[in-house]
């Protein structure tokens, strides 16, 4: 995942760096008109908790997380969303 994110950043000419511990920083420049605004840091980590209900046939090594929207709430079908902030890497839009 880290390599995919680094490639994603490079494809968009975004400055990025990683270290030997696997930490990755991608710098996204300010939008027009916000160059002098305070810097905002959004953090998420790339690992996730792979838990599922006993009746689930989900295979975390091959199956995507099946998202379920319930009003303002986002759930995963018979699995966790990652719970360890895997969802923080990519926040889906309905």
């Amino acid at each position: 995942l880290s390599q995919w994110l680094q490639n994603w950043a490079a494809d968009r000419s975004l400055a990025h760096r990683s270290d030997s511990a696997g930490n990755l920083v991608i710098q996204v420049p300010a939008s027009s008109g916000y160059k002098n605004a305070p810097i905002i840091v959004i953090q998420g980590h790339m690992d996730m908790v792979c838990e599922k209900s006993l009746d689930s046939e989900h295979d975390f090594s091959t199956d995507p997380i099946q998202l379920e929207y319930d009003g303002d709430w986002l759930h995963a079908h018979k699995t966790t969303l990652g719970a360890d902030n895997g969802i923080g890497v990519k926040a889906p839009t309905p």
Side-chain angles (χ1 to χ4, degrees):
L1 179 59
S2 179
Q3 187 59 57
W4 186 93
L5 288 167
Q6 290 176 63
N7 293 342
W8 179 89
D11 289 347
R12 289 155 180 80
S13 300
L14 297 174
H16 61 283
R17 64 185 183 280
S18 61
D19 63 19
S20 61
N23 296 303
L24 173 63
V25 174
I26 300 174
Q27 293 176 273
V28 179
S31 298
S32 179
Y34 292 91
K35 300 278 187 208
N36 296 318
I39 294 173
I40 297 173
V41 176
I42 300 173
Q43 181 270 335
H45 45 99
M46 294 175 274
D47 62 331
M48 66 181 287
V49 175
C50 298
E51 293 291 332
K52 61 184 182 178
S53 61
L54 294 175
D55 62 337
S56 173
E57 295 182 15
H58 184 86
D59 181 347
F60 283 98
S61 64
T62 58
D63 299 338
I65 301 295
Q66 295 177 8
L67 301 177
E68 298 177 343
Y69 296 92
D70 180 13
D72 291 337
W73 290 92
L74 175 65
H75 303 275
H77 181 71
K78 297 186 178 185
T79 66
T80 63
L81 281 172
D84 199 22
N85 203 21
I87 199 70
V89 176
K90 167 61 173 92
T93 55

